[in-house]
Each structure stands twice: as C-alpha cells, then as structure tokens.
Amino acid sequence: MALVLHSFPDNKNAFKARIAAEYSGVKLELTNDFVMGVTNKTPEFLKMNPLGKVPVLETPDGAVFESNAIARYVAKLKNDNPLFGSSLIEYARIEQWMDFSATEIDANLARWLYPRLGFYPYLQPSEEIAISALKRALDALNTHLASNTYLVGHSVTLADIVMTCNLSVGYRFILTKSFTKDFPHVERYFWTMVNQPNFAKILGEIEQAATIPAVPSKKPAQPKEPAKPKKEEPKKEAKKEEPKPKEEAEEEEAPKPKPKNPLDLLPPSKMVLDEWKRLYSNTKTNFREVAIKGFWEMYDPEGYSLWFCDYKYNEENSVSFVTLNKVGGFLQRMDLARKYAFGKMLVVGSEAPFKVKGLWLFRGKEIPKFIMDEVYDMELYDWKEVDINDEAQKERVNQMIEDQEPFEGEALLDAKCFK
C-alpha cells in the first residue's frame, strides 16, 4: 500500500510532509477529491483521526496524524536522513526548533491572524498579547539566524522545513514588509528557504502580504432595524421614539471611549517628549554638546522623573543572545508606555554573567502605575530615582544616554533604545 496524505491542497501543515518527502526520495499520494468540512467528517476519516483534523497520513501500518509527526515519519523512511542532523546533539536541536516553531511562531501567528479572518471572535487585548509574543519569538529567531544560515548545522533539516511552512502562512496573509523589516535575518532566511527547489516545488510562488486583514465587522444583525420604519408608516413618530434606543444600540456596538490616562491630566510640562526623541535620533555628531546638553535644557523635574534600573538576577544571564532577547521582550511589553517614556537599556560585560542596566524617563513624578501593573518585567528590576543634584548620578545618566564604552569599567555588549 502506498502512503496517502489526506488534506486539502493548500494546507501548510501538509506541506511539511510533502517537502520532507522531496528531500527524502519518498513518494506520497495526495487525495485529489478532498473537501474540507465534508471528507474529514466521514466515518472513514474519523476512524483515522477522531478529531477530524488534517492532515492525516495513511500508511501500511495504520494512520498517523499531527503534521510534525507525519513529517518525522516520512523523513525516517530514509536511513541516516540528513534532515535529522549528523549527531545526537544536532537531532536534539532540530526537535528544539520544531517545538519552538509550533509553540512560539505558529501558535501566535494563529492567535493574530485567525480572528481577523473571522475564524474566531476578535478580541483586541488577545491580539495585542499575540503580537507581542510573536515579536519576542521572531526577535529570538532573528538573533540565532544572525550567525546561522540554517537553524541547525550547515544544510536543510526538518526544523527548517517546519519553520518555513509555519512562517509561510504569516508571510502570505499578515506579516507585511513593515512588520518583518525589524527581523532582517529572519527575512533573509525565509526567502532563502522558499527559493530552494524542493521548497518551491511544493510551496509555489509566495507573495508577501501588502496589508493586514481588517478587523471583522461587529454589525451582523443590523438588517432588522431598517425593516421597522417600513412597517411603522408614520415616520415622524419613529423619529421621535427611536432616538434613545438608537443611541443605546450605538453605545453597545461601538467600543466605549477609553478613559483618559491619568498622565494626560497632569499640568502641561515645558518638556515635550517628542522633541527630545527627535533630538536624540537626529544627533549624529557632537552628541555631548548637542543631544546631552539639549536634554538637560529640556528636562522638567516637575513634569518628568528619571530612574535607574538594575536587573535583580544578573547571575542567570549566562548566554548573550538569551540576555539580549530578555531585554528585547521587556522593551516590546513597554510599548504601551511609548507616549509617556524614553528608555535606554544596556547589556554590560564581555563574558557571562552579563549585567543589564537601564535608564528611564517617565512622565510624572513617579513610575506610572499602569506600567507597574501591566508590564510584569518591572518587578524583575531594582528601581532607584535619579538625584539630579548629584553630579555623579547626572554623569551616569549622560553615559547611559550616549552608550559610553566602556561603561563603569566594562565592555558594552549591546545598547537598546526605547523611544
């Protein structure tokens, strides 16, 4: 009996096994008459997979479901398949990246994309969490690919097949160029993979999404309201009686305006945060004389406060890219504070353990409560307000803003700016 892959044609999860088959010299038969929602509800299909999910691989020894398991099975049919690496540690890392791809990339792409396609209810807070988690995962992947052509070793492995197939849905439907430009090594990797002959044969030509799908409309039951005026002939009465319910309906359908952030209610400050951010970004030479001097001329201690932060658990920072990802994730979660904050995060040290130190400018005379409540990383740091009357502390602020190296006697591994 031949191997039969049951799935609809453009299923990226079925692509995993099909690409693995191309690399392994394994012949797969595809079901040509598969109709999603019909074929997978038949007793014959449910016997192979009780959940009715696709793909399913039919083998001489029985059925296999779950796409990664199917891809592993197909690859294992070839002895000593290089898709599994050349050593036990490479095999473990292939499994590692396959799990990462499923839990960090695929899952968060789905949580962002599928509600916008109408498959699940759209909830903005859930979407924001998904995008933040996806950015964190892509940042980690981007760091790894900065010094690696492939995920593991020096040739295509099953990890690359699974990762590329999962990313392909994102690139086709929601990962626009403006989103992926922040992850250049991921971009290089993805387009390199999809243009490999065995990938291109199965995936076809991929065109990157130009726009993000719109949020589904929340007004499906509206047709009934126009019907009422037709039945009630006296239009004047309808106009007099309907205003209240109409307003109530609009209030129910439209999202209620968000309450003003308490920081927006503070007295105006002479310091305009966007002006400082522009000065910081545009100063390319004489940084001390232009940007630093400009900062202190703008700084308003009545409207803003400055804070040092030091990571509490620096002894855990034993791997450089993990430490950098940790800082990157923190900055992503701080995005809700962009209107009210400016920050510098330094990763210090030429060898482990690396130290993470930061400087933050916040609107108001305290660290804003909504940031403390919403960004869990905040409690991982010790926070100390800068005493601007202390020249030593003021100089430390200057050094952190300008990324001075060495910083406090140590090499600067990286400096990240939040603006």
Side-chain angles (χ1 to χ4, degrees), residues 71-78 80-87 90-92 94-95 98 156-158:
R72 289 186 186 96
Y73 177 91
V74 170
K76 282 283 186 183
L77 292 173
K78 178 180 180 179
D80 299 322
N81 196 332
L83 291 181
F84 287 111
S86 58
S87 65
E90 284 197 355
Y91 172 75
I94 290 165
E95 292 288 332
M98 288 173 68
V156 171
T157 66
L158 201 56

Side-chain angles (χ1 to χ4, degrees), residues 75-332:
K76 282 283 186 183
L77 292 173
K78 178 180 180 179
N79 292 330
D80 299 322
N81 196 332
L83 291 181
F84 287 111
S86 58
S87 65
L88 181 59
I89 189 61
E90 284 197 355
Y91 172 75
R93 287 172 179 159
I94 290 165
E95 292 288 332
Q96 159 194 293
W97 284 110
M98 288 173 68
D99 286 351
F100 177 93
S101 180
T103 59
E104 303 294 340
I105 301 294
D106 194 37
N108 288 309
L109 271 173
R111 292 185 188 111
W112 182 16
L113 175 63
Y114 292 164
R116 284 185 172 259
L117 296 181
F119 297 155
Y120 302 122
Y122 175 83
L123 298 170
Q124 186 175 348
S126 299
E127 178 178 84
E128 290 173 357
I129 291 169
I131 293 172
S132 177
L134 179 62
K135 285 181 176 179
R136 184 182 185 187
L138 289 173
D139 192 45
L141 180 60
N142 192 67
T143 301
H144 177 73
L145 292 172
S147 55
N148 294 277
T149 303
Y150 305 98
L151 289 176
V152 182
H154 302 288
S155 62
V156 171
T157 66
L158 201 56
D160 298 303
I161 294 173
V162 170
M163 181 70 76
T164 303
C165 288
N166 287 339
L167 284 170
S168 68
V169 173
Y171 269 81
R172 287 183 196 272
F173 293 104
I174 204 164
L175 297 181
T176 61
K177 183 69 178 175
S178 62
F179 184 90
T180 59
K181 67 179 175 57
D182 291 334
F183 312 102
H185 304 299
V186 175
E187 282 197 319
R188 182 265 308 159
Y189 168 80
F190 177 76
W191 294 114
T192 298
M193 290 296 104
V194 298
N195 284 296
Q196 299 294 311
N198 288 334
F199 282 81
K201 181 178 178 181
I202 303 301
L203 297 175
E205 186 176 349
I206 292 180
E207 186 174 337
Q208 188 166 6
T211 58
I212 295 173
V215 174
S217 171
K218 291 185 179 179
K219 301 181 181 178
Q222 208 80 2
K224 288 186 179 178
E225 280 212 339
K228 277 189 178 179
K230 288 180 184 176
K231 289 182 181 179
E232 296 174 16
E233 292 188 14
K235 292 181 181 178
K236 289 180 182 178
E237 286 180 22
K239 283 182 182 177
K240 287 177 183 177
E241 291 175 12
E242 284 186 7
K244 283 187 181 178
K246 220 174 188 183
E247 286 170 9
E248 288 169 11
E250 285 174 6
E251 283 178 11
E252 286 176 7
E253 287 176 7
K256 292 182 180 178
K258 290 183 179 178
K260 277 207 168 190
N261 190 300
L263 298 182
D264 294 328
L265 305 177
L266 292 174
S269 169
K270 70 170 188 176
M271 183 176 197
V272 180
L273 190 59
D274 284 342
E275 287 184 8
W276 156 243
K277 290 179 178 180
R278 276 194 295 273
L279 179 64
Y280 174 89
S281 299
N282 295 334
T283 304
K284 306 302 180 187
T285 58
N286 299 324
F287 199 85
R288 277 262 173 169
E289 293 76 9
V290 178
I292 300 294
K293 183 181 178 183
F295 173 79
W296 291 113
E297 289 173 352
M298 294 180 185
Y299 181 64
D300 171 20
E302 295 303 314
Y304 285 84
S305 55
L306 277 168
W307 298 81
F308 292 129
C309 67
D310 290 278
Y311 191 64
K312 293 179 181 178
Y313 310 106
N314 284 318
E315 67 278 2
E316 297 176 357
N317 297 332
S318 57
V319 181
S320 59
F321 84 87
V322 174
T323 307
L324 295 173
N325 290 341
K326 187 184 295 180
V327 173
F330 174 41
L331 295 183
Q332 287 173 10

